[in-house]
Amino acid sequence: MNNAAEKLYRTGDLPDEELSALILSEDAEENAALVKYADEVRRKYYGSKVYLRGLIEISSFCKNNCLYCGIRRGCHDAQRYRLDRPAIIECAAKGYKLGFRTFVLQGGEDPVFTDDLMCGVISELHEKYPDCAVTLSLGERSRESYRRMKEAGADRYLLRHEAASPELYSKLHPPEMSLENRKKCLYWLRELGYQVGAGFMAGAPFQTADDIIADLRFMQELRPHMIGIGPFIPHHGTPFAEKKRGTLDLTLKLLGIIRLMFPDVLLPATTALGTISPQGRELGLKTGCNVVMPNLSPADVRKKYDLYDNKLSSGSEAAECLRSLEEEIENAGYHAVHERGDHASMQNKGD
Ligand code: SAH
């Protein structure tokens, strides 16, 4: 069974049992083949391009209580902050000068960020930077809220589904949150014309190979434009403080599988992947990733957006160090580009 990677490369899918065996396989030859095919496929759709997104973490207040997350409502020693509209615009201005053409506004579910406030921020960004894409990652909101923000000029929305298995979802979240609502939000976003990002943590507590298969099957149905995959990393102030973190090997394995199952998807080498290993991001790029999201948040709040312990926030992770990140990307054999970086299906041929 050491040709599963090749079969996945040729057919774009595998039966559950073979997928499960590939997820669990420690066969070095098999894993090397997966990396090789993943790179071949990313180059077919995106060449050597790596898209940069400027991440602006707009609020560390959150009304939710996800068991894994360091900014959950119940984390009493979390430091809370929120950026106001001028501060967000200022981050974008700084990012624009550095060459970013996508801004990602991410935050906890903070009721202060009403639809009116968000629509104001989005339309100002849209007017000032018409050549840039605006991505939102603000959790679960109403259909009307998503509709208004789209109308104001938002292009994309990242909402990891977190776990497509109802059993696992309920072990990672408090009873008042539901997988059903999470999925409903993702389908609304799709219908409304957003480029949509789903995803989950590799090695989340209690996660089995069957759970991962459920995630892959759900994403085959949703067909997201982007898939965010990073290792779970415990945060000391959460109920999962003592749980084991996700491994580099499992995360890379899933990135490779996802590149072969979703050949033209936008796949970030995440901050969490860079946090668990100094080579994490480089290895991610070599295993099918084609996006990186450096941090554009104001330096004095960065440590406060504390999703998990030791989250990277300086070095080549920081937008100011863009040149060193660009070098890192070149050294890995790729090329950082200053483009909006839409999904392959939305890019004009010959651009
Ligand atoms: N409130 C937004 C943004 C959440 S933060 C939302 O609901 O989508 C972005 C992502 O960080 C989450 O989707 C989650 O998958 C990831 N994350 C949270 N805690 C983490 C942890 N302890 N380890 C790794 N990733 C984590």
Side-chain angles (χ1 to χ4, degrees):
M1 229 294 294
N2 65 5
N3 54 6
E6 188 188 348
K7 183 168 171 193
L8 186 57
Y9 165 70
R10 299 210 180 287
T11 66
D13 204 355
L14 288 175
D16 285 359
E17 317 77 65
E18 292 172 34
L19 208 43
S20 177
L22 181 58
I23 291 168
L24 300 171
S25 167
E26 292 180 11
D27 181 323
E29 227 171 278
E30 176 99 273
N31 292 339
L34 184 65
V35 172
K36 186 188 91 177
Y37 290 127
D39 189 54
E40 197 176 305
V41 169
R42 74 89 78 202
R43 284 180 191 275
K44 175 170 170 212
Y45 287 89
Y46 292 99
S48 62
K49 287 182 181 182
V50 175
Y51 300 120
L52 304 172
R53 321 290 200 204
L55 181 62
I56 308 174
E57 296 158 336
I58 65 173
S59 177
S60 69
F61 285 90
C62 191
K63 67 177 163 66
N64 281 338
N65 222 6
C66 306
L67 278 77
Y68 44 86
C69 184
I71 62 167
R72 69 200 298 271
R73 171 182 87 224
C75 192
H76 296 296
D77 62 349
Q79 298 185 56
R80 309 291 177 176
Y81 74 91
R82 61 174 65 91
L83 303 183
D84 60 10
R85 176 166 161 175
I88 297 171
I89 302 295
E90 176 59 35
C91 291
K94 192 175 79 179
Y96 191 87
K97 283 201 202 103
L98 288 165
F100 289 96
R101 293 297 176 266
T102 291
F103 303 116
V104 182
L105 311 187
Q106 187 177 83
E109 291 193 21
D110 180 352
V112 168
F113 282 88
T114 57
D115 298 344
D116 285 344
L117 175 54
M118 280 316 304
C119 288
V121 173
I122 295 163
S123 34
E124 188 173 346
L125 285 173
H126 198 55
E127 272 161 36
K128 287 200 162 129
Y129 307 107
D131 52 337
C132 293
V134 176
T135 303
L136 304 174
S137 179
L138 302 170
E140 297 173 29
R141 299 174 74 103
S142 67
R143 189 180 195 283
E144 178 60 9
S145 167
Y146 292 145
R147 191 196 62 73
R148 286 189 56 196
M149 295 193 296
K150 182 78 182 52
E151 200 178 74
D155 302 280
R156 311 180 185 140
Y157 204 104
L158 308 178
L159 183 73
R160 290 188 179 174
H161 65 280
E162 309 294 358
S165 137
E167 292 73 33
L168 180 58
Y169 189 91
S170 69
K171 289 181 188 158
L172 302 179
H173 298 94
E176 67 272 17
M177 290 181 73
S178 78
L179 174 59
E180 206 188 337
N181 197 57
R182 197 100 185 149
K183 285 189 180 176
K184 196 161 69 184
C185 289
L186 282 161
Y187 283 106
W188 281 339
L189 289 161
R190 238 205 116 94
E191 259 169 46
L192 290 165
Y194 283 91
Q195 293 183 48
V196 173
F200 60 96
M201 294 179 290
F206 315 110
Q207 183 188 59
T208 64
D210 283 348
D211 293 323
I212 293 171
I213 291 171
D215 290 319
L216 297 171
R217 299 298 178 215
F218 167 65
M219 294 193 297
Q220 283 180 320
E221 185 191 298
L222 177 70
R223 290 179 297 107
H225 302 88
M226 299 166 276
I227 298 181
I229 299 292
F232 161 73
I233 305 173
H235 181 286
H236 61 275
T238 64
F240 290 168
E242 304 302 328
K243 300 287 186 202
K244 272 211 255 26
R245 70 187 199 182
T247 63
L248 178 64
D249 286 352
L250 177 65
T251 311
L252 293 172
K253 176 73 70 75
L254 295 178
L255 290 170
I257 290 175
I258 286 168
R259 173 56 70 204
L260 298 184
M261 290 180 78
F262 305 89
D264 58 358
V265 83
L266 292 161
L267 192 60
T270 58
T271 305
L273 182 58
T275 300
I276 57 163
S277 158
Q279 286 90 43
R281 209 161 29 194
E282 177 190 339
L283 294 170
L285 291 171
K286 290 179 168 165
T287 315
C289 290
N290 61 339
V291 173
V292 282
M293 298 170 54
N295 198 318
L296 267 183
S297 308
D300 59 318
V301 304
R302 254 177 231 174
K303 286 246 172 294
K304 299 183 189 168
Y305 195 77
D306 190 25
L307 302 176
Y308 44 82
D309 288 340
N310 305 314
K311 179 167 164 271
L312 289 189
S313 62
S314 56
S316 59
E317 179 49 38
E320 300 77 19
C321 304
L322 194 57
R323 299 299 160 251
S324 73
L325 175 64
E326 290 181 338
E327 246 168 61
E328 199 180 304
I329 293 170
E330 295 287 334
N331 292 340
Y334 305 94
H335 183 55
V337 293
H338 296 181
E339 300 173 20
R340 278 169 56 107
D342 289 297
H343 184 263
S345 68
M346 312 213 167
Q347 295 183 15
N348 294 328
K349 290 255 152 62
D351 248 9

